[in-house]
Amino acid sequence: RTLFRLMDNDGAGSIDKKEILFLDKWQPPPYLLAEADMGARERLFKALLARHNDNSLMAWRRSLDKDSSMRVSYEEFVIQCQALLRSGMREASPPCGIPAMYAAIDQARSGWFTFKDWDSQMHSWLLACVKYCRTECGSCTKFLQRCIAECNADIKNDSGVDFKTFSKSLNKAGLAPSQRLAVFEGLQACTKRRQSDGGRLTSGDIIFLQTWDPDQEKRDINMWESLLQNNPIETKEEDGSVLWTWRAAPIRPGAVEFCDELRGQ
C-alpha cells in the first residue's frame, strides 16, 4: 500500500506507465539487495576492538568515522573497509561481501549508521557524558575548560586535562570509573598515540561533539523504524501538496522527494 501511494505521483488512485518508468533507470545500492550477515559484522567488530584496546569508541573514531560526523555512510564504510584490508585486517572483506556486512549494521537500510548502531552500550556512556557536560556548562568544550582550570593547566595553550581530573568532574554523571575511562580514552584524537589513562584530553579532541545532535539522531532513527513498520500517515497541505509523516515525524529526506529524485535521473 505504501509503495503504491509513493508511485502514484499525481494522486489519481492508479499507477500508469509513466509513473514507473523511473524504475528501469534506478540502480539500487548493493546493501539494499544483500542479505545481512551478522557473523561478518561481529567478526569485524571484534577485530577492531582487538586493534583499539578493546574500546569501541576508539575503533569508531580511528577506523570508521574518520570525518567525526557521528555517522558513517555506505560509501564511507566501503572505503574504510578497503583501507582496513590493506592494513592486514581480513575481517574487513568477508566472503559474504561488504554490502552484506554493512546491512547487518545498518539494519534500517537507510544508507548510513550511527555510533549507537555500532555499539549501543558505549553510545549510552558517551551520551550520558555529553548530556551531563551540556547541562553543567552548556557545552562539552566549556566543561573541559572548567576541568582544565581546576587542575591549574594552561587554558590558552589547550594543554588538556588528565584522566583523574576528568573522572572526578564526572562523578555525578552516573558513570562508573571504568566507563569514564573508556569514554576518556575513546575521545582522544585520532592523530594521538594511544595512552589510555595516561593521556590528556584537549578541546581539540572533543570539538566534534559540539555539532553532535543525539536528539535529531534519535528522530531520524525513529523515522526509519516507522518506515520499516509500514505505518505512514498521509496529510494534505493547503496548497494541495502531500506531506508524508511517520509517527508524526516528517520524512528526512521525504519518500515522495526520493521517488521524484529517481524519476529525474
Side-chain angles (χ1 to χ4, degrees):
R1 183 181 178 183
T2 302
L3 185 60
F4 178 88
R5 289 183 175 181
L6 293 175
M7 290 184 176
D8 182 16
N9 193 40
D10 57 8
S14 62
I15 298 175
D16 59 32
K17 182 179 179 180
K18 293 181 180 179
E19 290 175 316
I20 62 174
L21 280 176
F22 73 96
L23 291 175
D24 291 332
K25 303 177 183 178
W26 183 39
Q27 295 182 351
Y31 63 83
L32 288 181
L33 306 177
E35 182 177 350
D37 192 317
M38 298 303 295
R41 181 239 192 271
E42 188 63 21
R43 287 188 290 274
L44 176 67
F45 184 77
K46 290 181 178 179
L48 284 174
L49 285 187
R51 177 173 290 190
H52 296 290
N53 202 33
D54 204 31
N55 189 308
S56 62
L57 178 56
M58 183 185 293
W60 168 265
R61 295 201 66 205
R62 299 190 177 213
S63 292
L64 296 176
D65 183 28
K66 291 295 189 70
D67 62 359
S68 297
S69 64
M70 292 303 283
R71 64 172 57 186
V72 175
S73 69
Y74 172 70
E75 292 77 15
E76 285 180 282
F77 185 72
V78 171
I79 291 172
Q80 300 310 329
C81 282
Q82 292 171 343
L84 288 169
L85 179 62
R86 289 194 297 270
S87 71
M89 187 175 290
R90 292 179 298 175
E91 292 85 354
S93 182
C96 64
I98 293 178
M101 180 167 59
Y102 172 87
I105 306 173
D106 176 18
Q107 297 186 33
R109 312 289 178 114
S110 59
W112 46 265
F113 62 89
T114 67
F115 183 50
K116 186 177 182 179
D117 297 316
W118 178 245
D119 186 348
S120 60
Q121 183 181 66
M122 180 66 91
H123 173 273
S124 69
W125 299 349
L126 178 61
L127 183 60
C129 176
V130 170
K131 284 187 173 181
Y132 181 78
C133 293
R134 290 176 177 175
T135 299
E136 287 291 303
C137 299
S139 73
C140 294
T141 300
K142 291 180 180 179
F143 180 83
L144 191 66
Q145 288 174 345
R146 189 180 76 177
C147 293
I148 295 173
E150 289 176 357
C151 65
N152 298 316
D154 189 345
I155 296 179
K156 290 185 178 180
N157 293 326
D158 196 17
S159 59
V161 63
D162 58 22
F163 172 67
K164 182 178 179 181
T165 304
F166 177 81
S167 181
K168 182 180 179 181
S169 300
L170 288 175
N171 266 335
K172 298 180 180 180
L175 295 171
S178 61
Q179 296 167 349
R180 293 175 225 158
L181 175 58
V183 172
F184 178 83
E185 182 183 43
L187 287 175
Q188 302 285 321
C190 303
T191 55
K192 286 185 175 181
R193 192 176 74 177
R194 193 178 70 203
Q195 299 182 67
S196 190
D197 62 346
R200 298 185 72 86
L201 196 63
T202 69
S203 298
D205 293 333
I206 64 170
I207 190 66
F208 73 97
L209 293 176
Q210 294 293 95
T211 56
W212 183 36
D213 188 346
D215 294 330
Q216 182 60 56
E217 185 179 277
K218 185 176 182 180
R219 287 192 291 270
D220 289 342
I221 292 172
N222 287 341
M223 180 275 293
W224 281 105
E225 289 178 348
S226 299
L227 178 61
L228 288 176
Q229 292 172 8
N230 192 27
N231 187 30
I233 301 172
E234 178 183 356
T235 56
K236 293 284 186 178
E237 298 291 278
E238 292 184 0
D239 61 0
S241 61
V242 176
L243 175 66
W244 291 86
T245 59
W246 271 258
R247 289 183 185 172
I251 299 180
R252 302 184 184 194
V256 174
E257 288 81 358
F258 175 66
C259 286
D260 288 342
E261 181 180 344
L262 292 177
R263 289 188 180 96
Q265 290 183 358

